Amino acid sequence: MARRTRLYEGKAKILYEGPEPGTLIQYFKDDATAFNAEKKAELKGKGVLNNRISEHVFTALEGIGIPTHFIRSLNMREQLVRAVEIIPIEVVVRNVAAGSMCKRLGLEEGTPLPRSIVEYYYKSDELGDPMVTEEHITAFGWAYLDEMDEIVASSLRINDFLLGLFAGVGIKLVDFKLEFGRFYVDDDMRIILADEISPDNCRLWDIKTGEKLDKDRFRRDLGGEIEAYQEVARRLGVLPSADIRELAAHPKAKQADS
Ligand code: TMP
Ligand code: ASP
């Protein structure tokens, strides 16, 4: 296999140079981290599941006219994506109080919110992704106001759509995190959805039992992470047919990087 250039390694994914200009290969690792990587583990098969789940969600979003970086899946762990200039903001959309919102505001986890709430966090591992407002974002030039208007409108539309998509398979979409990037074609620039949408960056609760089917199982030492991710994939109809533990045993077999 041809050698290829590794451009960036994050906590859960690696980006390689793509086969054509303007493309990248997004590789899903099995690594799980929490609390700004203070807690780490390898969850065998997670990358395969997140690849499939994220592909499914991004394809569905493209279907309702949300532009995304996703081009196509290449194999069990890799996607061909458009290269974007990432806007250094994590956009969190919340429907139900959970996680940091409960700590910050003293709310009981599970309290439905009066309406969906959008929050922003500045992407900085050094600073632990601090919460920021649109004022910070525009004043420091991380994004322009018109870009933020587009990002909020798009995030709320994604939320409406995903609430329905997950409710259809008996899952409550509690909250999730999105990342956007600037995509340049000739002189034109568009804001498109990037990164991934998977149980790593969503809170997903079984509607009937309230069981957590997301990364909180890892963050809170509940165990059964892979079974939970598999359940999400199964309900969405995208569970890989081969035994993912078997596949996970050779995660890097097909890789050659420089
Ligand atoms: P939070 O309640 O910890 O702020 O998380 C809100 C949502 O954002 C939750 O679905 C998990 C996701 N998230 C990430 O994807 N990456 C992160 O670094 C953090 C802190 C949260
Ligand atoms: N991914 C994050 C980290 O390790 C935290 C999280 O998702 O809770 O920094």
Side-chain angles (χ1 to χ4, degrees):
M1 177 159 180
R3 285 167 70 80
R4 58 190 186 186
T5 310
R6 183 182 358 210
L7 300 175
Y8 172 81
E9 177 151 7
K11 285 176 276 205
K13 294 187 291 295
I14 305 173
L15 292 175
Y16 295 96
E17 206 168 69
E20 300 142 35
T23 66
L24 299 175
I25 293 169
Q26 176 167 260
Y27 175 94
F28 288 77
K29 300 195 283 185
D30 283 341
D31 298 350
T33 64
F35 317 117
N36 206 10
E38 269 173 41
K39 178 172 178 173
K40 285 187 205 171
E42 191 185 21
L43 302 176
K44 287 210 180 297
K46 176 174 82 79
V48 175
L49 290 161
N50 281 355
N51 181 26
R52 294 299 281 265
I53 293 168
S54 197
E55 170 190 6
H56 179 75
V57 173
F58 272 61
T59 305
L61 288 171
E62 287 275 357
I64 60 154
I66 304 273
T68 81
H69 75 162
F70 180 79
I71 301 173
R72 65 174 182 276
S73 264
L74 297 173
N75 55 53
M76 297 299 277
R77 287 183 182 273
E78 293 178 328
Q79 304 181 345
L80 184 66
V81 300
R82 296 182 176 88
V84 298
E85 177 186 291
I86 281 285
I87 294 171
I89 301 299
E90 299 198 343
V91 180
V92 170
V93 184
R94 301 182 188 269
N95 300 302
V96 174
S100 68
M101 179 181 235
C102 293
K103 282 208 190 95
R104 190 174 296 116
L105 302 179
L107 296 168
E108 191 182 336
E109 187 153 86
T111 311
L113 299 174
R115 60 181 165 84
S116 302
I117 292 178
V118 181
E119 297 173 345
Y120 310 115
Y121 295 84
Y122 178 50
K123 265 172 79 72
S124 162
D125 285 341
E126 241 179 8
L127 301 174
D129 297 348
M131 192 181 194
V132 293
T133 69
E134 204 171 77
E135 284 289 295
H136 301 101
I137 296 169
T138 54
F140 292 118
W142 298 325
Y144 291 109
L145 195 56
D146 60 338
E147 293 178 324
M148 289 313 294
D149 288 346
E150 200 174 325
I151 286 172
V152 182
S154 179
S155 300
L156 289 172
R157 212 166 147 238
I158 292 169
N159 184 45
D160 279 346
F161 177 74
L162 293 186
L163 274 169
L165 183 133
F166 283 111
V169 295
I171 291 174
K172 187 192 280 185
L173 178 64
V174 171
D175 56 34
F176 59 96
K177 186 263 291 186
L178 300 173
E179 293 186 26
F180 292 87
R182 298 185 186 94
F183 177 59
Y184 296 92
V185 206
D186 303 324
D187 285 343
D188 225 38
M189 189 277 287
R190 282 199 307 167
I191 302 282
I192 68 176
L193 182 67
D195 194 48
E196 67 176 293
I197 298 180
S198 74
D200 266 12
N201 52 18
C202 300
R203 284 198 174 90
L204 304 168
W205 296 353
D206 181 89
I207 284 179
K208 282 201 193 120
T209 64
E211 190 188 350
K212 296 184 197 308
L213 301 172
D214 57 62
K215 203 165 99 176
D216 271 348
R217 300 207 72 86
F218 172 68
R219 295 189 189 97
R220 303 180 188 191
D221 295 320
L222 300 173
E225 294 91 345
I226 286 302
E227 289 73 12
Y229 283 42
Q230 262 180 316
E231 179 60 15
V232 173
R234 190 189 65 75
R235 290 197 199 182
L236 292 174
V238 297
L239 187 67
S241 50
D243 179 5
I244 57 150
R245 285 175 192 279
E246 172 66 24
L247 279 162
H250 314 284
K252 300 222 164 121
K254 285 169 72 183
Q255 245 187 292
D257 50 291
S258 53

